[in-house]
Amino acid sequence: MPIKVENLSYTYLPGTPFEYKALEEVNFEIQDGEFVGIVGHTGSGKSTLVQIISGLVKGYQGDVYINGTNFQDKKADKMLLRRTVGVVFQYPEYQLFEETVEKDISYGPQKLGVPPEEIPARVKAALTLVGMDYETFRNQSPFALSGGQKRKVAIAGVLVMRPSILIMDEPIAGLDPAGRKNLMDLSRKLNQNGTTILMITHDMDSLAEYADRVLVLNKGRLYLNGTPEQIFSDREKIISIGLDFPQAASFAEMLRSRGVDVPQGIIRYTELKDFLIKRFGGRA
């Protein structure tokens, strides 16, 4: 399995007046090829968790295994971790810095020692994955692109490393509805091609539609762990910790309160649409 987290705890500024326990006794496993959403209120430990998994935060208690390797072990190959786990931070377009798209995407492989003759093919493949034509964009300045294009270039800069695990921290934040759908569809495509996805997001509708499983953090602990259907089966439990509920599920619940016999378990727009068409007639 690609990820196993055992008894993971982490405290910021221990032994000081500002001591804060971000994670406490967290345990879970993620299988190859899963699409896992990570949710929780602000300060629940989401970002700390993925930063530990990706090797960016040290000094934690417990164990994190990536493909069977504990990278806290001093003998572990840290470069292997960099090749295995890719991270797309929130607003990744702010990380762009080179004068052309190709140079920006090429930076990571160059630092990892990828043979120079292989890099152009990798850049082309990464741009193709995010839906951008290599010849059209390779020599353009990344700063002259639209917001959505900048984000795609930044993501291509991670994909060019060919990670088997991709962590995405609020990747759809700040995008319009079309941009959000495009990025979620890209995430699904990567996942269908074999990439394990971990995605932090506050968009419950996207998780209901795309995720195989959802981890819910609350006050540094793993509060819930299950499929979207399992997680969103109890509205009060989700609302009680300050999270939103999928809009389709909320609308279905409103219809039930008004006497419409809506089946339990509807959490996606497509499910709600299919029910309404069947119940009331009309066309899709």
Side-chain angles (χ1 to χ4, degrees):
M1 67 193 65
I3 300 173
K4 184 176 183 180
V5 173
E6 293 184 334
N7 304 317
L8 179 62
S9 299
Y10 185 79
T11 301
Y12 287 102
L13 301 173
T16 76
F18 305 101
E19 178 175 307
Y20 174 70
K21 183 162 284 189
L23 294 171
E24 188 170 1
E25 294 295 316
V26 174
N27 294 271
F28 62 85
E29 296 178 4
I30 295 176
Q31 306 299 321
D32 283 306
E34 277 197 285
F35 191 135
V36 178
I38 302 175
V39 301
H41 56 79
T42 300
S44 63
K46 305 184 301 297
S47 293
T48 300
L49 174 62
V50 298
Q51 287 169 8
I52 289 174
I53 291 173
S54 61
L56 298 176
V57 169
K58 311 293 184 183
Y60 53 86
Q61 294 76 51
D63 295 294
V64 176
Y65 297 90
I66 308 295
N67 291 334
T69 299
N70 187 340
F71 285 95
Q72 195 162 219
D73 186 335
K74 292 182 179 179
K75 297 181 180 179
D77 182 358
K78 303 304 189 292
M79 293 299 286
L80 176 61
L81 179 63
R82 297 286 175 264
R83 291 192 295 269
T84 302
V85 181
V87 184
V88 177
F89 295 103
Q90 189 175 11
Y91 301 110
E93 57 270 24
Y94 294 163
Q95 300 165 222
L96 302 173
F97 64 95
E98 280 284 9
E99 60 184 9
T100 70
V101 166
E102 182 164 39
K103 287 182 178 180
D104 204 286
I105 298 173
S106 299
Y107 182 81
Q110 290 171 352
K111 291 299 180 182
L112 272 189
V114 175
E117 63 272 15
E118 292 183 17
I119 293 178
R122 283 197 177 207
V123 173
K124 183 176 182 179
L127 280 171
T128 299
L129 277 173
V130 300
M132 299 179 73
D133 180 71
Y134 174 69
E135 295 299 337
T136 300
F137 290 99
R138 59 179 294 194
N139 292 319
Q140 290 193 36
S141 166
F143 307 106
L145 303 177
S146 69
Q149 289 171 334
K150 288 179 181 177
R151 191 160 300 189
K152 285 183 176 182
V153 169
I155 292 172
V158 176
L159 297 180
V160 74
M161 311 297 287
R162 298 180 178 173
S164 60
I165 300 169
L166 182 61
I167 295 174
M168 308 178 82
D169 189 351
E170 293 284 2
I172 58 177
L175 297 179
D176 60 23
R180 290 197 296 271
K181 185 178 187 307
N182 286 338
L183 200 142
M184 292 305 300
D185 286 345
L186 168 62
S187 302
R188 172 180 281 169
K189 176 182 176 182
L190 295 171
N191 182 240
Q192 290 173 340
N193 287 338
T195 304
T196 301
I197 303 284
L198 281 71
M199 179 181 290
I200 294 176
T201 182
H202 287 93
D203 190 332
M204 301 303 169
D205 294 290
S206 292
L207 289 184
E209 180 67 31
Y210 292 86
D212 300 317
R213 191 150 54 95
V214 180
L215 306 178
V216 182
L217 295 178
N218 183 41
K219 297 179 180 179
R221 290 184 173 271
L222 184 60
Y223 181 67
L224 295 171
N225 177 1
T227 66
E229 288 81 4
Q230 292 168 333
I231 296 299
F232 298 125
S233 65
D234 190 335
R235 176 185 175 88
E236 294 307 316
K237 185 174 282 190
I238 293 297
I239 298 299
S240 70
I241 60 170
L243 299 180
D244 294 327
F245 208 60
Q247 292 185 17
S250 295
F251 190 74
E253 189 167 289
M254 182 271 290
L255 290 175
R256 289 188 204 102
S257 71
R258 299 189 179 188
V260 181
D261 187 20
V262 182
Q264 296 292 328
I266 287 181
I267 61 173
R268 302 175 181 89
Y269 289 118
T270 51
E271 297 167 342
L272 181 61
K273 182 190 73 171
D274 291 345
F275 164 76
L276 292 174
I277 291 172
K278 183 178 180 180
R279 176 69 171 77
F280 297 105
R283 296 181 299 174

